[in-house]
Every structure is written in structure tokens, then in C-alpha cells.
Amino acid sequence: MAVHGTSNPLGGAELQLAGGEVVLSAAADAPASISFENALSLTDDSTLTAGAASGGVSGARDVSVASAGVTLAEATTLTLKSTDDYRLWIPGPLSGSGSVEVAGGDVTLSGGGDVDELRIQSGTLHLAADLDAQWMTVIGDGLDSGTNHVHVGRR
């Protein structure tokens, strides 16, 4: 768990997720839009959540993470979700042979890239760039791609 006030508590460290859940939250003194400018890599199935956590506040907040991109190891799944009226933004590109799953709330992928599988279980995924995926499943609320595309079967 990381609670962002007026500065990123994680500094410039690369986030390496190896299972479990990381919750990114905003402190009461944080601006409405906060950035965790950390690179992100996944070595085992993990969840990344933007929402109120210990010391964090609920309410409309934009949380951005991984502007340098997300690297997914083979056969892993990164589950993305937001709670407590937060919005989760991933501005960097996705790469590797893992999968991405949206499991609730409001999630935006704006860096494009490619993944093995894209799954939308619940919530809404917004695309701000084209994304390549070998497989795609939409069960949840939906996909807002605007003028962007998910190229399925093209990796």
C-alpha cells in the first residue's frame, strides 16, 4: 500500500509485483490527480488497485502509475481496478507475454502495447491508444475505445 501526499512515497523505485495486491491511495493533502511515476513489472499474478487505503481518502481522484510502462512475465495476470470513486491510469505501454484483467471501477490504458490476453470482468476500460492482444474477453460493463482499437489475434 502506498499513500501519496504531496510527493511520491515510492520515490523512483521500480515496482516489481510478485503476487498479492498493491493499493495506491491519495492522502487528504494530495491534489485530485496524483502520479506514481514508477516502472512496473509483474513476475506473478498480482492486483493493482487505486482506492482509499489506510491513511488515504475516498472521493474523485485520478491515480497514474507506470508512465515508463508495464512488463508482464509469461503466464502472469495483472488485475487492475479502482474503488472509492478513484480512476486508475496506466500511461506507459504494456509489453510481455502476460495478461491484463480489469476487475472493477474505472481504468484507462493510454500507452498502447501488446498483451497475451485482455479481459474485462467488471468496470470500464478506457483505451487512449491502440492495443494488441492475442485473446480478448469482455464480460463486464464495457470497453470505451473511442477512436482506438484492440487488435485481437495480432501480436
Side-chain angles (χ1 to χ4, degrees), residues 112-116 130-134 149-155:
D114 64 272
V115 296
D116 187 51
D130 288 352
L131 182 68
D132 293 337
Q134 186 63 38
H149 302 91
V150 177
H151 302 281
V152 179
R154 220 174 77 178
R155 279 202 70 201

Side-chain angles (χ1 to χ4, degrees), residues 7-109:
S7 64
N8 180 353
L10 303 174
E14 177 182 350
L15 301 178
Q16 186 175 63
L17 305 183
E21 179 176 17
V22 172
V23 180
L24 302 176
S25 191
D29 63 344
S33 181
I34 59 174
S35 294
F36 293 86
E37 296 297 327
N38 309 76
L40 178 66
S41 64
L42 188 73
T43 60
D44 202 349
D45 295 349
S46 301
T47 300
L48 183 63
T49 301
S54 179
V57 296
S58 46
R61 302 287 177 146
D62 291 328
V63 175
S64 172
V65 65
S67 62
V70 178
T71 303
L72 305 165
E74 185 175 351
T76 61
T77 298
L78 175 60
T79 300
L80 302 171
K81 65 181 181 175
S82 67
T83 61
D84 306 306
D85 206 20
Y86 278 54
R87 290 175 297 276
L88 176 61
W89 293 74
I90 308 292
L94 302 173
S95 64
S97 53
S99 299
V100 171
E101 177 178 308
V102 175
D106 195 322
V107 175
T108 299
L109 300 176

